[in-house]
Amino acid sequence: MKTNVIIQGDCLEELKKLPDNSVDLILTDPPYMISKEATIRRSRNPLKYKYVGKDIKFNFGEWDLFENEEKYLEFTRKWFKECSRVL
């Protein structure tokens, strides 16, 4: 097995390829299911003098959207179980 490798891909597919107890570190940035169809309109705030900031959108992308909380938890349990196995 190669050492010092960064693996990019679907975590559920890639982790299954690794043997048990073969990894020293896993750095994750999983979906947190925090995307919303909401926007903060910063440039329209009359209390901010001469401030024209960008609006803040809370839709981070398809990767952070789940059908419901149970689907999100199911996905999270799967990748976390694989991480635990290989660590």
Side-chain angles (χ1 to χ4, degrees), residues 58-81:
F58 289 98
N59 185 342
F60 302 108
E62 290 292 321
W63 57 269
D64 193 49
L65 298 173
F66 290 84
E67 199 174 311
N68 55 46
E69 187 175 337
E70 186 52 45
K71 296 285 184 184
Y72 170 71
L73 292 173
E74 179 183 324
F75 168 74
T76 300
R77 286 183 193 107
K78 285 180 183 177
W79 72 259
F80 194 80
K81 182 178 178 182

Side-chain angles (χ1 to χ4, degrees), residues 31-67:
Y32 292 102
M33 198 176 147
I34 58 174
S35 286
K36 306 262 186 278
E37 291 298 327
T39 302
I40 294 176
R41 306 266 182 222
R42 291 173 55 176
S43 60
R44 297 183 188 149
N45 186 341
L47 300 176
K48 302 232 184 233
Y49 180 69
K50 292 186 179 179
Y51 180 78
V52 181
K54 291 184 179 178
D55 292 347
I56 301 172
K57 296 185 183 209
F58 289 98
N59 185 342
F60 302 108
E62 290 292 321
W63 57 269
D64 193 49
L65 298 173
F66 290 84
E67 199 174 311

